[in-house]
Amino acid sequence: MHLAKPLISALTLGAGVLGAPTELQRRTARTSAPSGCLTVGSSGTYSSVGAAVSALGSSTADACIYIAGGTYKEQVTIKYGGALTLYGQTADTSSYKSNTVTITHSLDSPTAGSLDKSATVNVVSNGLKMYNINVVNGYGKGAQAVA
C-alpha cells in the first residue's frame, strides 16, 4: 500500500508532461544573426572566424557567433570557457546541402607537428555547438590531416 501513492503521483505527473505541447518552432533558414551574436563576414564586425573567437576573451558567459556566407581560409583554435555556438548562414537549417559557410585550411600533421595542430578547426574546450558550417582540410593525399 505504501507504493501505491507514489506510483499514482508519478503517473499523474507523467500524464501532465505527456499532455504538454511538444512542437517547438524551428527556424528553417538562418540568413541573419541571432540576437546578441558576434558577426563575421563582409557586413559583420569581424572579417575572420578566428578574430571573433579571440574577441570573446576569457569570458565564461554563453556566447554565439554568426558567420555570413563565404569561404574563410584560416586555421581556428577554439579555447573558450563558456558555452559557445557557431551559426553558419544557410537557406535550409535542416540540411548541410544548403550550407554557405566553409572554413578551410591545408596543413598535414607532419608539417604541423601533430595531428591536433593540423586541424582546420581545433576545439580545446567543452560546450561548443556548430551549425551549418562546412570544415575542410584541403591538404590532399599523403600524410594525415584533420578538418
Side-chain angles (χ1 to χ4, degrees), residues 4-20:
K5 192 171 187 178
L7 181 59
I8 291 171
S9 296
L11 290 173
T12 302
L13 177 62
V17 171
L18 292 175

Side-chain angles (χ1 to χ4, degrees), residues 26-109:
R26 299 186 75 152
R27 291 177 81 173
T28 56
R30 188 178 303 105
T31 57
S32 61
S35 179
C37 285
L38 299 181
T39 56
V40 177
S42 60
S43 300
T45 305
Y46 302 95
S47 60
S48 72
V49 178
V53 170
S54 293
L56 296 170
S58 61
S59 174
T60 58
D62 290 358
C64 60
I65 298 173
Y66 172 79
I67 307 167
T71 298
Y72 298 84
K73 296 179 180 181
E74 60 181 308
Q75 186 176 30
V76 181
T77 297
I78 299 174
K79 188 174 184 179
Y80 184 67
L84 176 60
T85 304
L86 303 180
Y87 296 105
Q89 180 178 343
T90 184
D92 181 0
T93 59
S94 70
S95 172
Y96 69 91
K97 293 178 181 179
S98 295
N99 290 0
T100 63
V101 174
T102 299
I103 303 171
T104 184
H105 190 69
S106 297
L107 186 63
D108 68 324
S109 57

Side-chain angles (χ1 to χ4, degrees), residues 10 25 41 125 135:
Q25 287 187 343
S125 58
V135 179

